[in-house]
Amino acid sequence: MTEPYTIEKANDYIREHAGRVNPRYKGAFHFAPPVGWINDPNGLCFFRGRYHLFYQYHPYGTAWGPMHWGHAQSADLLSWEHLPVALAPDRDYDSFGCFSGSAIQKDDRLFILYTGVQKDDSCSNAGNEIQQQCLAWSDDGVTFTKAPENPVIPASALPAGFDAANFRDPKVWEEGGRFHCVAAAADGAGQGRILRYSSKDLLHWEYAGDYVRGLERFRGIWECPDVFPLDGAACLLLSVMNPPAGGVLPAGRPGTLWGLAPLETPADLDCPSININPFDALDAGFDLYAPQTFAAPDGRRLLFAWAHLWGGNETLERHGWMGSMCLPRELRAREGRLLQNPVREIEARLEPLEEFADPRPEGGMALETCPLMAITLEAEAGGDGILALDFFCAGEERLSLRYSAAEGAFCFDRSAAGLPAKDLPPGDLLRVIPYRAPAGRLRLRAFIDHAQLEIFVGDGELVFSSLIFPKRAGYEHRLRCGGAAHIITLKTFVIKERV
Ligand code: FRU
């Protein structure tokens, strides 16, 4: 597909091609595109009685390309209705792509602040790109008008020496009668920074500071910052493109950090800078990037993230679509930790499948297995206890999560799992994550949706996410206890596609 890109052209293409994709690995309650490539969730909001999910979208191929904003809505965060494409790269200032951004409601209108990317051969920076923040609005939540004043935060609003090719992903909020946004940027030395801007009307923005301190050791380019109040703390989420070795993120793999800072009142976010401490990896698994949060009408802080496939996947390429979102999560902060749990809406979908009175899986046991299912278990796992869950077992294939009380760690291993993504380096097949089950009691909840697996540990202290593309249909999930470990409760559920 060649320029010019328009919304009409994108919608026509989607209409014509959506029926031709192979849905074999598509999830039922994880959002995936009708056709083509997706990455980051954008513009999350609740508007006119529906949750809205916008997303980075290249409808015309299964690889990243000129970014549009795709759009879907939902009443329950799990079943999605596709809506027309919201933004196409159809202006000079966004002709190279409408990159990530966020939404805010003002005077009964929905506004989105996104990054317009332009190629400009007169620029001296790498890739000749200029990234600037642009505004669009909608009265019906479906059709958007781009502001004639765009870009509303031009590259000239960067501090001196900053790189115009890395200035993106504005996350906007309102507090104290003003609008605020944070955006990812890079200083003259190529070091990631998070800048804050402030505005009274969304159109005119003032630079308000180099906002976040304490993360300088994460060298390189940062993306998709998000800052919000959470249970008496300021919570920061930040995606790091190419993390350095020796940190909490696996080196060289795109990953996301969470961080907390004390916060007396939400109004205190309006300050020159916040100091983040502590911080940790948002996901203990393999496939999660570029999250965004928003406040639901009932006050919950909800998160969506891209179940990322930066390297692509050969099978999905043939199937005509690429990428999906994680199961949306509810966030809490407690005693300096971020807790993540699946949105409670999933509970209404769970239908009991098996319940075991006194399971003794010492020699290993197979669970009745179906494509959409949940497993909840509680185990006594102290001393030399070992608990192993093997998912998608067929022949030599499996994806394993093993907890060893003696080692005080989980090992998440996908070296024998299904069809790999194209570019997985050997180091990206295994994660060893320190964890001690409180008082030797281990609690796990696993959610399986065709090719997507998410395991929530304890009160949500850890989440292991992984995509998996089982080669064979006849797989089963298995459970095994070793040493002093034994199961206290074990239940499985079918997850209904609709309530
Ligand atoms: C993160 C990201 C963002 C950018 C978008 C482009 O995955 O690189 O920084 O806005 O994707 O699609």
Side-chain angles (χ1 to χ4, degrees):
M1 192 60 50
T2 52
E3 296 178 71
Y5 295 104
T6 64
I7 286 182
E8 294 69 34
K9 194 191 264 188
N11 288 331
D12 287 349
Y13 183 92
I14 295 162
R15 214 171 296 116
E16 201 180 318
H17 291 81
R20 301 190 197 160
V21 305
N22 179 340
R24 169 155 176 221
Y25 291 115
K26 262 199 180 183
F29 56 92
H30 287 79
F31 179 80
V35 58
W37 160 282
I38 68 169
N39 49 290
D40 317 357
N42 293 158
L44 299 173
C45 60
F46 187 85
F47 186 67
R48 305 226 192 286
R50 287 284 179 273
Y51 292 100
H52 289 257
L53 165 67
F54 300 85
Y55 52 92
Q56 289 287 278
Y57 191 26
H58 181 222
Y60 306 112
T62 52
W64 189 90
M67 279 291 125
H68 296 58
W69 273 39
H71 187 192
Q73 68 176 6
S74 169
D76 67 355
L77 299 156
L78 299 169
S79 294
W80 293 94
E81 176 196 350
H82 294 296
L83 292 175
V85 164
L87 299 178
D90 55 8
R91 301 298 154 95
D92 284 348
Y93 56 76
D94 63 16
S95 54
F96 190 67
C98 300
F99 278 20
S100 285
S102 51
I104 193 150
Q105 204 173 320
K106 172 181 176 279
D107 305 332
D108 207 33
R109 269 193 167 164
L110 186 63
F111 287 82
I112 53 188
L113 194 62
Y114 70 99
T115 302
V117 186
Q118 187 176 9
K119 283 267 186 200
D120 182 341
D121 292 336
S122 65
C123 278
S124 54
N125 59 41
N128 302 342
E129 270 182 37
I130 304 183
Q131 304 192 342
Q132 313 185 87
Q133 317 324 315
C134 302
L135 189 71
W137 65 79
S138 172
D139 288 325
D140 62 3
V142 178
T143 311
F144 284 83
T145 305
K146 291 179 180 171
E149 295 86 346
N150 279 338
V152 294
I153 313 182
S156 57
L158 280 167
F162 272 56
D163 176 11
N166 282 296
F167 181 32
R168 59 181 175 271
D169 309 339
K171 178 70 199 311
V172 60
W173 74 94
E174 187 181 4
E175 183 59 54
R178 286 187 74 81
F179 298 96
H180 308 264
C181 85
V182 282
D187 65 19
Q191 170 60 48
R193 297 277 172 198
I194 298 172
L195 305 182
R196 187 165 72 90
Y197 290 82
S198 154
S199 169
K200 59 178 183 350
D201 59 4
L202 294 169
L203 275 175
H204 304 90
W205 292 86
E206 288 153 22
Y207 176 63
D210 186 348
Y211 193 47
V212 177
R213 314 266 163 186
L215 297 174
E216 291 74 10
R217 76 191 83 167
F218 287 92
R219 310 250 2 126
I221 298 305
W222 297 352
E223 304 186 301
C224 302
D226 193 349
V227 179
F228 49 90
L230 187 69
D231 296 326
C235 183
L236 165 82
L237 300 177
L238 178 66
S239 291
V240 183
M241 229 171 158
N242 189 7
V248 294
L249 297 175
R253 295 293 296 166
T256 299
L257 291 170
W258 62 263
L260 294 173
L263 187 73
E264 297 264 304
T265 74
D268 291 347
L269 284 175
D270 186 1
C271 64
S273 69
I274 55 173
N275 234 315
I276 288 297
N277 190 30
F279 56 86
D280 206 344
L282 183 69
D283 200 274
F286 304 107
D287 302 308
L288 196 99
Y289 195 63
Q292 186 176 98
T293 71
F294 71 112
D298 58 9
R300 286 180 294 167
R301 179 57 60 168
L302 304 182
L303 173 146
F304 279 81
W306 175 33
H308 86 82
L309 268 173
W310 265 130
N313 174 285
E314 278 149 12
T315 303
L316 291 192
E317 252 162 42
R318 290 194 300 275
H319 289 190
W321 64 281
M322 188 78 66
S324 56
M325 297 297 162
C326 70
L327 182 55
R329 302 175 181 180
E330 298 183 16
L331 303 186
R332 300 302 303 259
R334 199 184 62 203
E335 292 162 12
R337 292 251 5 133
L338 182 70
L339 304 179
Q340 306 174 71
N341 280 293
V343 288
R344 61 196 67 167
E345 282 80 352
I346 193 82
E347 307 294 337
R349 306 281 188 113
L350 302 184
E351 206 164 70
L353 180 61
E354 286 187 290
E355 178 162 359
F356 299 85
D358 183 22
R360 302 257 159 211
E362 281 73 17
M365 65 187 269
L367 302 172
E368 191 180 335
T369 298
C370 51
L372 298 180
M373 69 179 286
I375 304 168
T376 66
L377 72 80
E378 188 169 351
E380 194 75 53
D384 63 349
I386 287 179
L387 188 104
L389 273 158
D390 288 331
F391 297 93
F392 299 92
C393 305
E396 295 302 301
E397 260 181 70
R398 70 203 51 239
L399 169 62
S400 303
L401 181 73
R402 179 177 170 275
Y403 174 72
S404 159
E407 288 161 26
F410 280 103
C411 177
F412 196 36
D413 180 353
R414 65 168 164 184
S415 54
L419 296 161
K422 267 203 298 195
D423 74 336
L424 288 182
D428 204 31
L429 300 172
L430 194 77
R431 296 269 194 278
V432 176
I433 307 290
Y435 182 75
R436 291 218 174 264
R441 282 276 173 119
L442 184 63
R443 284 183 295 126
L444 299 178
R445 282 195 295 166
F447 295 85
I448 300 156
D449 183 7
H450 297 279
Q452 239 164 307
L453 167 69
E454 281 138 317
I455 307 162
F456 295 80
V457 179
D459 289 335
E461 299 91 302
L462 290 178
V463 192
F464 293 89
S465 299
S466 186
L467 297 168
I468 162 140
F469 304 98
K471 284 185 215 144
R472 312 179 205 186
Y475 56 77
E476 61 188 19
H477 309 309
R478 302 185 62 86
L479 175 65
R480 187 169 49 77
C481 280
H486 71 269
I487 302 289
I488 301 164
T489 54
L490 172 61
K491 294 181 193 171
T492 62
F493 303 84
V494 173
I495 307 178
K496 292 179 288 179
E497 285 204 30
R498 310 243 156 238
V499 258

